[in-house]
Amino acid sequence: MSYTQEWWPWAGCETTSADVVAIEGECVGLMDPADGTMVLGEQYRKILEVIAAENRTVTEGEDYSTIALLAPMGAGPRGLVGERALHQLEGAFIGQYRANRSETFPKIRLLLANTGHDGSKWRTTVQAVRKNAATGATASPGQIVAVTGMGPSQQESIDAARALAKDPGIPMVADFITAAGFNTTGEIDDGGPIPGLTSTAVSTSAQLKAIAEEFKKEKVGGDAALMWADVTPQGTKDLYASSLKDAFLDPKLGLKPYVDRSGLSFPFDPRGGPSLLRTISDTICGAKIDMIFYAGRQAFMPTFLKLLRSRPCRSTTITVVTGDDAQDQNPNDPSLHDPEAPIKVLYVPLADPKRLDHEDNPDRQLYREFRDEFVAPHHGVTFPAAHLGTGLAILSYDAVTAASTAVQKAAIGVDASQLTLPSAAAVRGQLYLFTGTNVIRGASGAFTLDSTTGERVNVTMPTPVTIP
């Protein structure tokens, strides 16, 4: 695909950041909010003002390290990505803020690495990140030593991860990547290992295992039709959806027999429009189906639920079983509250505030400390408590906390009093040492990282949630 690009100054990119570029009407690249708080538009202005104020305080000193949040930002056609990124930024800021108020060295500056609303501009952004990274044996003040976020589980994200991992590599802490094999091993495709890629979210296979255990406990019977998508609306591989499909059909997890009994499997291409979803919703009326195993993105779910509500056999109860992306689903969707068309959605949230604040959660205090900080005023701005509901702020906070903890551990020399700015390599090494009693105290609980895969470990079994 060809496009034109213009370097700043450009009327739509209100920033003096040297690594911001305008592509197809979007401002992408590496941004310091201190250089302009309108670079992403009015929706982001307040959170960028808060990060800008914190960054100015940090850079008043001589010694600080930089973490970049790489993610799709800016509102897409439905505004969904804009909301996601907004919550991510709020959680990331709280991670930065708390790290900077601990009695540790160095302070953390937070930059934004915008890959465009759909992640398709990742090449431009990764190039800017690598140019500003501390990839040598030593580091200078302000150089990037870690990247968090990494976007959703789709091909653009894995391409960006491989580019960042190239020697000299930059360590990465993904916040809500859940596709199986999208980790240090690189088993998600045939591209080989991705050194430095770690993740703080629960994988799709772990999510569906939790659902299978719940079915076994409750002795849930019935048949299920499988719906699956392999590509994104852009035509690239959707690694999250593919991973869900594989997990639904994995004999070891326990959900495959439900599909085997029905024998129904419906592929759908998001580029095909709602007609495909209508055909699927109508077709299931010809078979005795209790559940639909939905291996797709939540973005298409409201349309599908609406079609299920109007299908010929709408009086038959149906449960849509899916992955963590359903946390974006509006619980007040009319399609989920029609007594003449009973529909439920079952999924495992990555970070459910209600569960985290439950008295049975052994790490409840960690969540409460984060929540109290989240709703407190910072630099004159207060974040809405409702933004915690998507779980994205919690996940982003955990990723920044993991990265900043690794940065501050890497800064300590042989003598604890010897402190130096760490290189990216030193930070990467620390990420793989979060094991045993060396835990990360995240808002979603205390956890460690597997030294082989880089995935989150030592977590309690995820809890399935039903809407409504």
Side-chain angles (χ1 to χ4, degrees), residues 199-217:
S199 178
T200 61
V202 180
S203 69
T204 51
S205 57
Q207 295 170 37
L208 295 193
K209 182 179 179 180
I211 290 176
E213 290 292 329
E214 183 79 5
F215 282 6
K216 183 178 179 180
K217 177 183 176 182

Side-chain angles (χ1 to χ4, degrees), residues 148-282:
T148 68
M150 299 306 299
S153 301
Q154 62 187 39
Q155 190 61 48
E156 291 87 347
S157 299
I158 199 168
D159 290 341
R162 291 196 183 284
L164 288 171
K166 287 182 180 178
D167 189 47
I170 304 169
M172 296 159 275
V173 186
D175 49 15
F176 63 90
I177 283 178
T178 57
F182 197 168
N183 53 33
T184 300
T185 68
E187 293 175 355
I188 190 74
D189 58 15
D190 298 325
I194 310 176
L197 177 59
T198 63
S199 178
T200 61
V202 180
S203 69
T204 51
S205 57
Q207 295 170 37
L208 295 193
K209 182 179 179 180
I211 290 176
E213 290 292 329
E214 183 79 5
F215 282 6
K216 183 178 179 180
K217 177 183 176 182
E218 300 296 329
K219 298 181 180 180
V220 175
D223 302 344
L226 175 66
M227 279 181 62
W228 49 276
D230 280 338
V231 297
T232 68
Q234 294 77 44
T236 55
K237 292 181 181 179
D238 191 327
L239 305 175
Y240 165 80
S242 297
S243 182
L244 268 181
K245 174 194 173 186
D246 293 342
F248 276 127
L249 297 177
D250 187 343
K252 298 178 182 178
L253 297 183
L255 295 177
K256 187 174 183 292
Y258 293 93
V259 180
D260 291 342
R261 286 195 291 268
S262 77
L264 292 179
S265 179
F266 299 104
F268 77 96
D269 188 328
R271 296 168 296 181
S275 63
L276 300 177
L277 298 177
R278 178 178 293 281
T279 299
I280 294 172
S281 65
D282 290 346

Side-chain angles (χ1 to χ4, degrees), residues 338-395:
D338 186 348
E340 296 183 1
I343 304 170
K344 296 180 179 180
V345 174
L346 177 67
Y347 73 105
V348 173
L350 294 179
D352 179 17
K354 291 182 180 178
R355 180 184 65 82
L356 294 173
D357 200 23
H358 195 276
E359 59 184 10
D360 291 340
N361 176 22
D363 290 327
R364 184 184 190 187
Q365 187 59 33
L366 291 178
Y367 170 73
R368 287 193 158 189
E369 290 172 0
F370 160 78
R371 180 202 61 192
D372 292 346
E373 192 73 78
F374 187 87
V375 299
H378 299 95
H379 300 293
V381 175
T382 302
F383 305 145
H387 286 188
L388 295 173
T390 64
L392 296 172
I394 300 170
L395 295 170

